[in-house]
Amino acid sequence: MPVLPIVRLGHPALRTPAEPVVPARVVERAFQRLIDDMIETMRAAEGVGLAAPQVGFGLQLFVYEALEAEDPARAVPAIPAIPLRAVVNPMVEPLSGEQIFDWEGCLSIPDLRGLVPRHPSVRLRGVDRHGHLEERVVEGFEARIVQHEYDHLNCVLFLDRMSDLKSLAFVDEWQEFLHDAADDGPRSKAE
Ligand code: NI
């Protein structure tokens, strides 16, 4: 399975709305291969999510997965384990609760981190890689990833969601100066 090139900020693919996928196509070999290649690409880049426009496909598809990561300064994992998922034609509906700020990065905006407000839980509807409709409520870090990836399908980047660009930082400086300032535990993964 090849690792696909990830387009970066400035590439028009990131600012073009993604098209819905014809449901019958999901189980076709070419589409299954695209899903596998996106998973491979996300893992190779050590990201926790990847949307199809980031690899130049204008389709409503994203994949995500997080491996548990320990934070040596805290007893709890900084990143909880989130099982691998592929979501086609997603709909994301925010559920009640005030928006929470936390650090985000993006594989298409390398080396930058910023504080982004997100809904703490959302209802996610979509089609899985077997072509089955699924509906789930996702919370916390998973809800953040889902909102980030869903935004990619609508040409929205995390920079557009930041309410104050003053928190924007390069990863090295973020590690040195801002890492411990995060209320909710440090997370440095890109999506
Ligand atoms: Ni991203």
Side-chain angles (χ1 to χ4, degrees):
M1 288 185 285
V3 170
L4 305 169
I6 297 174
V7 302
R8 307 203 306 174
L9 184 65
H11 193 292
L14 296 173
R15 297 299 192 180
T16 307
E19 298 285 338
V21 179
V22 176
R25 265 193 71 189
V26 173
V27 293
E28 285 177 6
R29 210 164 136 187
F31 197 82
Q32 291 290 312
R33 190 178 307 133
L34 174 60
I35 293 173
D36 288 337
D37 289 349
M38 284 177 57
I39 292 167
E40 198 69 17
T41 303
M42 170 180 70
R43 287 175 173 168
E46 298 187 348
V48 292
L50 184 70
Q54 292 181 275
V55 285
F57 288 83
L59 298 170
Q60 292 183 12
L61 160 68
F62 61 72
V63 298
Y64 65 94
E65 175 187 50
L67 305 177
E68 186 175 298
E70 295 298 329
D71 176 2
R74 294 155 63 96
V76 295
I79 297 176
I82 297 169
L84 175 65
R85 290 187 191 282
V87 190
V88 180
N89 297 343
M91 292 288 294
V92 169
E93 176 197 339
L95 300 175
S96 60
E98 242 179 83
Q99 293 207 334
I100 294 171
F101 285 80
D102 206 347
W103 297 99
E104 283 185 29
C106 181
L107 295 174
S108 296
I109 311 171
D111 300 332
L112 285 175
R113 297 290 182 270
L115 280 174
V116 182
R118 297 289 186 188
H119 301 283
S121 66
V122 296
R123 189 183 309 281
L124 170 63
R125 294 187 182 88
V127 172
D128 68 15
R129 72 175 298 166
H130 309 292
H132 301 137
L133 280 169
E134 61 169 9
E135 177 178 331
R136 305 168 49 241
V137 171
V138 296
E139 298 179 332
F141 190 46
E142 184 173 2
R144 179 167 294 274
I145 296 171
V146 163
Q147 288 168 85
H148 180 115
E149 302 312 331
Y150 182 66
D151 269 356
H152 271 301
L153 306 183
N154 298 294
C155 348
V156 175
L157 302 173
F158 85 84
L159 298 176
D160 306 323
R161 292 285 186 198
M162 289 180 68
S163 52
D164 186 350
L165 288 172
K166 288 195 188 75
S167 70
L168 199 61
F170 287 105
V171 171
D172 287 350
E173 282 73 9
W174 178 85
Q175 289 280 5
E176 187 174 355
F177 301 112
L178 300 167
H179 182 268
D180 294 333
D183 291 340
D184 201 23
R187 288 160 180 161
S188 63
K189 291 296 182 182
E191 299 155 57

